[in-house]
Amino acid sequence: MKRKTIYFNQDNHHFYGCHPAADMTPEGVRRLVDVYAAPGTIRAILFCANVQRALFDSAVWERFRDIDDPNPLMVHLRLLAERGIDQFQLWLERCRELEIEGWLSMRMNDSHGLVEAATGADAWHAKWPSEYWRRNPQLRRAPYRLERSWEGSFNYLLPEVRAHHLRLVRELLERYDMYGLELDWMRWGLLFPPGFEREGRAVLTDMVREIRALADAAERRWGHPVRLGHRVPADLRSALDLGFDVPTWGREGWVDLLTLSSFLGAANFDPPVELWRALLPEQTVITAYVEAVAGPAPGAEVLNYDLLLGNAAAAWSCGADGIYLFNECYRESDHPEILRYLLEHVGSPEALTRTVRRLPVTYSQVAPAGAAPGRALPLPLRQSRIGADFCRMMETITVRLASGRTTPGTRCFLRLAFSAETPEAELGTPPVRVNTVPVARSSWPEYRSPVSGFPGVLRSELPEGAGPVLVYEVPRELLHETFNAVELLPPSIPGSLIWAELLLLPPELDR
């Protein structure tokens, strides 16, 4: 029997913007859940109910369908309303019929289009911000500047901002019979003025306490438990420094589901599940957000679905209870074969051993402004001062790479890429050890990845501008499931190590 371990976020745009008008019917609405349910691995679907406007006929927030725009997103929302169809009610009912947890997900500070709206830019989401936001610049977290939409996000230190969002929370819990309500703090993750993030902890804690009380009232109304979920930064220190006192929320019983996340475009191959589990009640479900874009530093990202599969393998090895997919709902429309493949494989470490997996060094993306960057690479080949860096107190460069579970016959390759200014002739073949054992130089294998082989899939191999590349084959028996120390003793020459990854090829893969 397949394990139901995937938490699937159905975002604010996909169904309305990517499906035809013919699907704006009760049958078309329910069919979406049927597609997701078919592989039998989804435990929960989390339906996004808002951006800065509600995606249903709200009585307390401005409605998205009232935006005057010919975009199918708005047109199809109006069509649903004209036909008297409440898509969220139908989705939640269909989830219950198929024994899937039906959640609503509330974006707690969505900031799509704020800078575009303020500057009058011609952008597809410039009309998304609410009139409430436009009329009240004093409610913004940094009203003195607007470089990007984060500066325009609502300031949760202000009581009127919290009251505005609590009105929608109350309406959702009173209107919809749901399994649980997810508070998506990562949309967009900055809630307080610069320098006031720690002061915001108590404010958010009081707000979450009030939301739990509203959920308790909903439990009495609906006659069953109503869970609370939170999507927060994966790094504990960053979560606390941004105002999310999740350990306190957990002790108080306000965290049933916790999703360790980045924003977008930064897969985390080292989610600190063990740390969070030590701080939260035993029954808390901890999931890890995984994606197909990964990099060791900002601007060095690579896009490849083999990375998503490796990301899931790493999450399982770190102790996650489930895998959280965000924005993969679009594959239901443009690449249903990819969606089916992902749903059939990311839900268990056993299934992932039958896939191609790439597991690189990555950085912790989310941190408050001014914090020390969490990037792991680049690392210079020539040190200016030995002993200054505790993580590298000698010439040897050490990187930590996850491998996840492997099976007999799995082939493993280590790839190291260097900056363009690195002189290849002088680089030579420096010695490399994996978990203290020397490994031999090899070449990058030719293989056919089932996911990346789908037509039209965007993929990349290495960060833009990469220079020399070295490849080593790693015997499977050397690998630890969680993390592996890769030691490189480079020559003292110009250049940097900018990329490091493990590639795992299953034994049954056609070569």
Side-chain angles (χ1 to χ4, degrees):
M1 183 177 179
K2 292 182 179 179
R3 298 169 59 195
K4 288 189 173 184
T5 55
I6 298 174
Y7 290 72
F8 194 89
N9 185 291
Q10 175 64 30
D11 88 335
N12 63 293
H13 183 281
H14 162 251
F15 178 72
Y16 321 105
C18 300
H19 275 240
D23 281 352
M24 302 302 122
T25 63
E27 296 75 22
V29 169
R30 284 191 287 261
R31 192 181 306 118
L32 182 73
V33 178
D34 294 347
V35 171
Y36 294 147
T41 55
I42 285 184
R43 176 172 174 175
I45 304 177
L46 303 98
F47 300 97
C48 176
N50 69 294
V51 276
Q52 273 215 6
R53 303 170 187 251
L55 292 162
F56 62 96
D57 280 351
S58 172
V60 300
W61 264 35
E62 296 166 47
R63 300 176 300 192
F64 208 85
R65 71 175 178 88
D66 292 334
I67 298 174
D68 182 16
D69 193 275
N71 187 295
L73 174 55
M74 281 68 101
V75 171
H76 290 163
L77 279 167
R78 286 194 289 273
L79 188 57
L80 287 166
E82 291 165 3
R83 293 173 174 174
I85 298 170
D86 187 328
Q87 68 274 21
F88 293 106
Q89 180 181 335
L90 293 178
W91 280 331
L92 293 170
E93 289 175 355
R94 188 58 179 153
C95 282
R96 196 173 299 113
E97 292 167 0
L98 296 176
E99 298 183 339
I100 291 173
E101 297 175 10
W103 293 67
L104 294 185
S105 178
M106 179 173 166
R107 297 186 173 188
M108 301 306 291
N109 210 357
D110 191 278
S111 304
H112 275 99
L114 299 188
V115 69
E116 292 82 3
T119 59
D122 182 18
W124 60 277
H125 52 359
K127 295 183 179 181
W128 287 24
S130 66
E131 294 303 318
Y132 178 71
W133 177 85
R134 297 170 194 265
R135 293 193 304 267
N136 293 284
Q138 76 280 3
L139 301 182
R140 303 171 192 175
R141 60 177 291 271
Y144 50 87
R145 60 186 171 96
L146 194 60
E147 302 162 36
R148 291 293 303 274
S149 290
W150 278 271
E151 282 70 51
S153 301
F154 281 114
N155 174 10
Y156 267 69
L157 281 183
L158 302 176
E160 53 265 56
V161 167
R162 301 194 299 276
H164 172 68
H165 289 83
L166 282 168
R167 282 192 287 272
L168 186 63
V169 171
R170 182 179 293 106
E171 183 177 40
L172 290 172
L173 289 167
E174 291 178 352
R175 176 171 178 147
Y176 292 109
D177 183 1
M178 67 185 82
Y179 184 92
L181 176 66
E182 178 191 57
L183 307 179
D184 187 351
W185 301 106
M186 292 305 301
R187 278 294 178 267
W188 285 26
L190 298 180
L191 284 76
F192 302 105
F196 290 84
E197 295 88 353
R198 290 195 177 187
E199 286 80 354
R201 288 183 196 170
V203 169
L204 281 193
T205 295
D206 286 343
M207 185 174 179
V208 174
R209 179 184 294 110
E210 188 169 352
I211 292 173
R212 183 60 258 180
L214 293 172
D216 290 342
E219 289 186 352
R220 295 189 290 272
R221 185 180 310 109
W222 299 113
H224 61 76
V226 176
R227 275 77 172 183
L228 275 189
H230 302 269
R231 196 163 80 93
V232 300
D235 179 71
L236 173 63
R237 178 64 181 271
S238 294
L240 290 171
D241 283 351
L242 287 169
F244 310 118
D245 192 357
V246 181
T248 295
W249 304 352
R251 286 193 297 271
E252 296 295 332
W254 308 334
V255 184
D256 300 299
L257 170 66
L258 183 71
T259 297
L260 307 182
S261 187
S262 56
F263 182 73
L264 267 184
N268 186 339
F269 282 71
D270 188 12
V273 178
E274 288 180 331
L275 179 58
W276 285 103
R277 203 174 297 287
L279 296 172
L280 295 172
E282 183 179 357
Q283 68 273 18
T284 304
V285 175
I286 301 178
T287 68
Y289 158 73
V290 304
E291 66 163 291
V293 182
E301 295 86 1
V302 171
L303 167 63
N304 195 302
Y305 269 102
D306 300 336
L307 293 170
L308 186 150
L309 296 166
N311 197 188
W316 284 119
S317 293
C318 289
D321 294 316
I323 300 298
Y324 191 105
L325 295 176
F326 188 97
N327 269 3
E328 297 307 322
C329 51
Y330 291 93
R331 305 296 80 79
E332 185 268 342
S333 304
D334 58 18
H335 286 98
E337 307 95 336
I338 291 180
L339 178 62
R340 179 83 186 205
Y341 188 91
L342 295 179
L343 295 181
E344 288 176 345
H345 290 87
V346 302
S348 78
E350 296 81 11
L352 283 163
T353 63
R354 299 188 292 273
T355 71
V356 175
R357 288 145 284 152
R358 292 177 61 188
L359 298 98
V361 169
T362 56
Y363 76 107
S364 180
Q365 178 202 44
V366 181
R375 64 199 67 182
L377 297 176
L379 287 173
L381 303 182
R382 177 189 292 155
Q383 282 218 77
S384 58
R385 180 184 169 194
I386 299 295
D389 183 352
F390 187 83
C391 296
R392 186 188 176 189
M393 298 188 73
M394 64 295 290
E395 293 289 357
T396 297
I397 291 175
T398 303
V399 295
R400 286 160 48 91
L401 289 168
S403 66
R405 188 174 301 183
T406 62
T407 54
T410 298
R411 299 170 68 208
C412 177
F413 296 86
L414 168 69
R415 177 159 59 176
L416 305 174
F418 300 85
S419 56
E421 72 272 17
T422 305
E424 188 168 4
E426 297 179 47
L427 178 63
T429 305
V432 170
R433 294 174 180 264
V434 174
N435 296 328
T436 75
V437 179
V439 291
R441 180 79 184 270
S442 183
S443 58
W444 194 247
E446 294 185 6
Y447 64 93
R448 180 178 58 82
S449 169
V451 178
S452 296
F454 288 125
V457 177
L458 294 174
R459 62 185 302 222
S460 52
E461 287 296 319
L462 294 170
E464 185 176 354
V469 173
L470 296 175
V471 177
Y472 299 79
E473 184 155 11
V474 181
R476 171 185 171 266
E477 58 269 19
L478 296 184
L479 296 175
H480 301 154
E481 183 177 340
T482 49
F483 287 96
N484 303 276
V486 175
E487 297 176 281
L488 163 71
L489 180 56
S492 184
I493 60 175
S496 301
L497 177 68
I498 66 168
W499 179 264
E501 69 172 307
L502 290 177
L503 167 69
L504 299 177
L505 299 178
E508 62 270 23
L509 184 72
D510 293 331
R511 297 185 181 92

